[in-house]
Amino acid sequence: MSGGRHGEVASRRVFRRVRCPVCGEWRREMRVFGTPWQDEAGNIKPRHRIRAELAAQAQAWTPEPRCDRCRRL
C-alpha cells in the first residue's frame, strides 16, 4: 500500500457543535464518513474526487437536534 492509504476505504471524521432546542445544552457530535479508494472499474480515484465525495457526505449530514436526555423523555 503506497501513498499513505490504509485499508479499502478513505474516511473523514466530521465534528459539529449542536444546541438542544429543548434544554439548551451544547454538545459536540462526531460522525465518520467513508468512500472506496477505487472506482467501479477498479482504478484508484484521484484525491480531489475522494475529497469531493467525502465533503458532499459531510455537507448532507444533519445531526439530531435534541440531546440524548431530551430524546428519552
Side-chain angles (χ1 to χ4, degrees), residues 53-72:
E53 289 177 9
L54 292 171
Q57 291 176 14
Q59 185 70 30
W61 172 48
T62 305
E64 170 69 36
R66 294 181 297 159
C67 65
D68 291 337
R69 183 176 33 183
C70 293
R71 268 185 262 169
R72 282 186 245 138

Side-chain angles (χ1 to χ4, degrees), residues 1 7 14 47:
M1 301 226 169
V14 177
R47 287 184 185 187

Side-chain angles (χ1 to χ4, degrees), residues 8-54:
E8 298 293 319
V9 177
S11 63
R12 176 180 178 181
R13 283 184 272 168
V14 177
F15 296 88
R16 296 245 171 94
R17 284 198 60 184
V18 183
R19 187 174 201 156
C20 178
V22 178
C23 68
E25 182 178 319
W26 283 98
R27 71 184 190 286
R28 190 171 167 174
E29 287 206 6
M30 190 263 305
R31 186 160 176 193
V32 178
F33 299 97
T35 188
W37 282 105
Q38 298 175 342
D39 61 12
E40 301 79 27
N43 301 320
I44 295 177
K45 296 178 192 175
R47 287 184 185 187
H48 66 87
R49 184 171 163 197
I50 296 282
R51 283 194 302 269
E53 289 177 9
L54 292 171

